[in-house]
Amino acid sequence: MNWFNRVRNSLAFLPKRATEKDLWVKCPGCQQMVFAQEYAENLQVCPRCEHHGRIGADERLRQLLDEGYDVLPQPEVREDPLKFRDTKKYTDRLKQARAKNPHRDAFTVGSGTIEERPAVVGVQDFGFMGGSMGMAVGTAFCQGAERALTRRCPYIVVTAAGGARMQEGILSLMQMPKATVMTRRLKEAGLPYIVVLTDPTTGGVTASYAMLGDIHIAEPGALIGFAGQRVIQDTIREQLPEGFQRAEYLHKHGMVDMVVHRHDLRDRLATVLDYLQPKVAA
Ligand SMILES: [Zn+2]
């Protein structure tokens, strides 16, 4: 290689080759390096330790719904009504989150079919400000339920949240009763409401729509709870059992109906939909 080629190849504006960082993913469960493509093909589940990684809304909708589903437009809500600022302005935090995410907020609704059974699926994305529930999330949840009511089909919600969005104060807490009322409306209309709890589902979301399903499914190893383990331990001054607040523990103690591997989730949902809404014989 002559000197010209050597210099040209080292220039920064040349197309970036896949770096080692793009090719490998470090599994948060076993800390081993996994080939990124293998990880993606395995639906972001570690092929070595079965750790279920966190996934975004679009990826989740693609995994659960049949091709050709609609994504509902994100609701327009009044932004930053409290003019909130901590170390940063809330509006700046929103801008930052939107720059890294294809959606305007943490809850996205897809309307379509699961193995040909009609369903509306709402997905909360932990990648957007920790999946926190503010007015946009509450409103999108309700729009999903409205769509299910219009289509007269089941509503499935995949939860992941650190809790209420503190930057919206009491307005974020008001989303809890608002969402709860919608689950009642689904019940009154005789439509199934199914919750898929993923890692982590905590705080105000657990205290409202995440625990009001007709059926609760959880992904293996998911952290599900209201307050954190350390807070509870310090309050009651007792050591908590091993695996407390994990999907398997909650299943054993009756808080969750089934723990389902991500590979089986779509099939299992289709089966549950069949049980809850038997096809009417033509
Ligand atoms: Zn692993």
Side-chain angles (χ1 to χ4, degrees), residues 87-143:
T87 51
K88 267 187 211 161
K89 281 194 209 162
Y90 176 34
T91 46
D92 290 342
R93 286 193 189 279
L94 277 174
K95 256 185 233 158
Q96 257 178 1
R98 283 172 188 159
K100 288 188 282 179
N101 199 291
H103 298 289
R104 286 183 57 76
D105 217 294
F107 199 97
T108 304
V109 180
S111 176
T113 53
I114 297 176
E115 294 184 5
E116 292 168 24
R117 293 135 180 104
V120 174
V121 179
V123 182
Q124 209 160 357
D125 182 358
F126 192 78
F128 192 103
M129 292 187 74
S132 54
M133 174 187 58
M135 287 190 289
V137 167
T139 310
F141 174 91
C142 292
Q143 285 184 344

Side-chain angles (χ1 to χ4, degrees), residues 27 29-30 46 49 51:
C27 166
C30 63
C46 173
C49 73
H51 176 274

